[in-house]
Amino acid sequence: MAYTNLEGRQELLDTVAEAIDDIGYALASLGEAYEQLDEATADKLEEELFGPVQAAYGRGKRTHGEFAARHSIPARAFEAQAPGSPSTRAKAHIDNAVAAVGQATGTLATAQDSSALLEVGDAELRAGITDVRELLGDVSHRARELVRRLGR
């Protein structure tokens, strides 16, 4: 069975969408954690974690939509994610966010390494994926530092 450019582009879009969904879940989890923290710690979470994850989410959605438009493929709408049980402690929400960010960056790394990106992708898609990965790059380390300070 022959592999068409349209199928390759759709596969890339689906992969990017999967990563965006993970980033959306991370955002929702960080939002839940924020609600459970004291004001100073919540502000730190917003600055060091929520901001970069939110920027990555926006960049990912834009990258997805622009690539779809350039190739006349229907773009997917992204909906808010459910963060899990509100009774979960802030640390667990942060851990869930870090896991989701890790999953997203792994998915995007796989896309970057795929032959499909070279065959049917374009420079703008590659740049968008790189930007998203860079925005998420330090989240895990920052989260560990923030969690380490919880309860002090």
Side-chain angles (χ1 to χ4, degrees):
M1 185 163 149
Y3 181 78
T4 67
N5 284 347
L6 178 61
E7 290 169 332
R9 288 182 179 122
Q10 185 63 59
E11 182 180 305
L12 281 172
L13 274 176
D14 292 346
T15 299
V16 171
E18 180 182 331
I20 294 167
D21 283 339
D22 288 334
I23 298 166
Y25 178 79
L27 269 179
S29 295
L30 292 172
E32 282 296 318
Y34 179 91
E35 295 299 322
Q36 297 179 16
L37 297 171
D38 62 83
E39 188 174 341
T41 307
D43 288 346
K44 197 76 162 159
L45 179 137
E46 184 174 6
E47 175 187 332
E48 294 187 7
L49 302 178
F50 192 85
V53 174
Q54 185 176 40
Y57 185 66
R59 181 65 169 115
K61 289 188 338 183
R62 188 170 75 239
T63 297
H64 180 276
E66 289 173 353
F67 182 74
R70 279 192 302 278
H71 299 287
S72 302
I73 302 171
R76 207 183 112 194
F78 295 94
E79 298 179 20
Q81 301 287 317
S85 172
S87 64
T88 303
R89 301 188 76 166
K91 180 190 178 308
H93 283 300
I94 294 168
D95 290 344
N96 291 341
V98 168
V101 164
Q103 183 67 34
T105 56
T107 298
L108 293 173
T110 299
Q112 280 182 311
D113 293 342
S114 76
S115 60
L117 185 63
L118 295 174
E119 293 170 11
V120 297
D122 56 32
E124 291 90 351
L125 179 64
R126 285 190 296 278
I129 290 172
T130 298
D131 289 349
V132 171
R133 289 188 66 205
E134 286 175 0
L135 287 163
L136 297 175
D138 204 26
V139 167
S140 178
H141 172 74
R142 290 178 178 188
R144 277 193 310 274
E145 290 299 311
L146 183 75
V147 167
R148 196 170 54 82
R149 293 187 302 255
L150 286 178
R152 285 187 178 181

